[in-house]
Amino acid sequence: MKTYEIKKMTEYDWSDKPIIDIDTPYLDTPDIVKAWAQIAYDDEAILVRLWTEEYQHRATETGPVGKPYEDCCLEFFFSPMEGDLRYFNFENNAIGCYYLGIGTGLHDAVRLLPDAENDIFDRKVKHFKGGWEITYKFPYSFIRRFFPEFKVYEGKKIRANCFKCADKTKPPHYLSWSPVTKENFTFHKPECFGEMIFK
């Protein structure tokens, strides 16, 4: 199982946070697609940074019921509580379309559409030559709406995975941090998540 240390953010500075290589490919993904992530935390939220370099840039999905995973998309899935099979999946394209869901797998995932979502998650997308990045926060107060006992402390463990995908690029591409089984391929396999530990 892959592991990652989630370090505390005292000032908004990613330079000393460990980098996750999202580099396990699936389904003939071309090797010119690259993606990375960093996860940190502060007193109020889990902090997420995802970025990519890619050969093409599809970004057409918009609106509250868009499908960002059909575009060039960066994703963070995590299970906040040990012993609870549910996980959040947060998927974003490069022009602000997002999918936020909760469930135990693809078969029972429920899409969440919180009011004032950008006030909650503070999503910011930045474009650069050859790629783009997204940063956001995942507030503990939001997590506790679904997991009331959730707390963050040193040594706290969550199960998580990071993904890069694009269903409708030619060819499509799919990358993960923690490998998922290729049989009946989907990213919605919490049994394949890695472990992240708050430090």
Side-chain angles (χ1 to χ4, degrees):
M1 177 189 299
K2 288 197 173 184
T3 61
Y4 178 81
E5 291 188 354
I6 306 176
K7 295 188 175 182
K8 191 163 189 179
M9 186 86 77
T10 53
E11 297 180 6
Y12 196 78
D13 179 7
W14 289 101
S15 63
D16 63 342
K17 305 302 182 287
I19 294 174
I20 292 169
D21 292 314
I22 307 173
D23 59 0
T24 302
Y26 307 90
L27 306 179
D28 299 319
T29 290
D31 62 8
I32 53 176
V33 180
K34 310 292 183 185
W36 302 270
Q38 291 170 298
I39 312 298
Y41 74 103
D42 62 16
D43 292 335
E44 298 181 353
I46 296 172
L47 310 173
V48 180
R49 179 183 181 225
L50 299 149
W51 72 100
T52 180
E53 295 175 0
E54 51 194 349
Y55 64 100
Q56 61 176 298
H57 186 71
R58 185 182 194 276
T60 61
E61 290 291 309
T62 60
V65 293
K67 300 174 181 178
Y69 50 84
E70 292 186 349
D71 289 338
C72 296
C73 186
L74 290 162
E75 306 180 349
F76 177 56
F77 291 21
F78 72 103
S79 298
M81 296 291 292
E82 293 184 82
D84 192 320
L85 298 178
R86 294 174 298 158
Y87 62 90
F88 291 109
N89 57 296
F90 204 12
E91 310 169 15
N92 290 269
N93 74 3
I95 54 172
C97 182
Y98 78 100
Y99 183 109
L100 172 60
I102 188 171
T104 63
L106 190 58
H107 65 286
D108 68 352
V110 174
R111 189 168 195 164
L112 304 174
L113 294 169
D115 291 335
E117 60 83 18
N118 214 43
D119 290 338
I120 297 171
F121 302 111
D122 191 25
R123 294 182 304 135
K124 292 182 173 67
V125 176
K126 182 171 74 174
H127 298 261
F128 54 87
K129 186 176 180 179
W132 59 282
E133 74 167 46
I134 184 166
T135 57
Y136 55 86
K137 62 184 180 181
F138 214 101
Y140 307 144
S141 58
F142 185 84
I143 295 171
R144 290 187 188 113
R145 295 183 193 181
F146 303 88
F147 302 87
E149 303 303 314
F150 178 80
K151 295 178 182 178
V152 168
Y153 50 87
E154 188 171 342
K156 162 76 176 176
K157 298 176 182 177
I158 62 174
R159 299 288 302 280
N161 213 341
C162 302
F163 305 107
K164 173 72 181 80
C165 69
D167 283 0
K168 289 193 173 180
T169 57
K170 295 183 179 180
H173 61 258
Y174 305 92
L175 299 167
S176 74
W177 166 56
S178 183
V180 302
T181 54
K182 295 181 181 179
E183 185 177 358
N184 300 318
F185 175 73
T186 176
F187 287 157
H188 290 264
K189 291 183 176 178
E191 66 274 17
C192 298
F193 287 3
E195 184 175 77
M196 296 189 176
I197 305 165
F198 291 85
K199 292 292 186 180

